[in-house]
């Protein structure tokens, strides 16, 4: 009986590979959970940034509307008549109507430039 207990059994290679695979899968799953948590934090940060941009844009629009109203009241209070506007009132009306033909911005080109700058940040 002593001789039987002294025999060394060879490790089962297939079993050890299966155990290694199980450990590896557990590590992969843990990494995936960490990646998802990190991604969630990134989305939360992006949401905060988007909300901040939205607030700032609304404030800018409100200020622009106030400025537009002020300029229109200046035109209305001017001594020139509606059919006979002075140069200053015509200039203000053209500015308000965005009829500045000298500087027409190419919105699509500016948008592409902004996108390329953002992509370069990544």
């Amino acid at each position: 009986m002593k001789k039987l207990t002294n025999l060394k059994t060879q490790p089962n290679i297939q079993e050890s590979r299966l155990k290694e695979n199980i450990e590896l899968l557990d590590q992969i799953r843990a990494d995936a959970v960490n990646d998802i948590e990190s991604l969630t934090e990134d989305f939360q940060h992006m949401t905060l940034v988007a909300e901040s941009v939205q607030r700032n844009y609304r404030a800018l629009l409100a200020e622009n509307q106030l400025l537009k109203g002020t300029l229109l009241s200046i035109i209305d209070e001017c001594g020139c008549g509606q059919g006979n506007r002075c140069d200053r009132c015509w200039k203000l009306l053209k500015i308000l109507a965005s009829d500045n033909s000298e500087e027409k911005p190419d919105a699509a080109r500016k948008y592409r430039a902004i996108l390329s700058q953002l992509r370069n940040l990544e």
Side-chain angles (χ1 to χ4, degrees):
M1 189 93 141
K2 280 187 176 182
K3 288 184 180 183
L4 288 177
T5 56
N6 286 338
L7 290 177
K8 292 185 179 180
T9 59
Q10 291 187 0
N12 186 341
I13 295 174
Q14 187 177 10
E15 182 181 335
S16 63
R17 285 185 184 162
L18 288 174
K19 287 182 179 180
E20 287 175 9
N21 284 345
I22 291 171
E23 290 175 12
L24 184 60
L25 288 173
D26 286 343
Q27 289 175 354
I28 291 171
R29 289 179 181 126
D31 288 344
V33 168
N34 289 335
D35 291 344
I36 291 170
E37 288 173 353
S38 177
L39 189 60
T40 301
E41 291 172 0
D42 290 344
F43 281 139
Q44 289 171 344
H45 176 71
M46 288 172 38
T47 300
L48 291 175
V49 169
E51 289 171 351
S52 174
V53 168
Q54 185 180 30
R55 275 191 311 274
N56 291 340
Y57 188 67
R58 282 186 179 146
L60 179 66
L61 289 177
E63 288 178 15
N64 285 348
Q65 194 64 29
L66 180 63
L67 179 60
K68 181 180 174 181
T70 303
L71 291 175
L72 285 173
S73 69
I74 288 172
I75 293 169
D76 289 340
E77 293 172 4
C78 183
C80 63
Q82 199 170 22
N84 190 20
R85 293 288 180 198
C86 64
D87 289 340
R88 185 184 74 168
C89 288
W90 271 116
K91 188 174 183 179
L92 288 175
L93 284 170
K94 285 182 179 182
I95 290 170
L96 289 173
S98 298
D99 189 22
N100 193 353
S101 57
E102 296 170 4
E103 293 183 31
K104 288 232 175 190
D106 183 4
R109 185 177 30 181
K110 285 184 178 183
Y111 178 72
R112 276 185 252 133
I114 291 170
L115 282 179
S116 66
Q117 288 174 355
L118 289 174
R119 287 182 184 132
N120 288 337
L121 292 176
E122 294 175 1

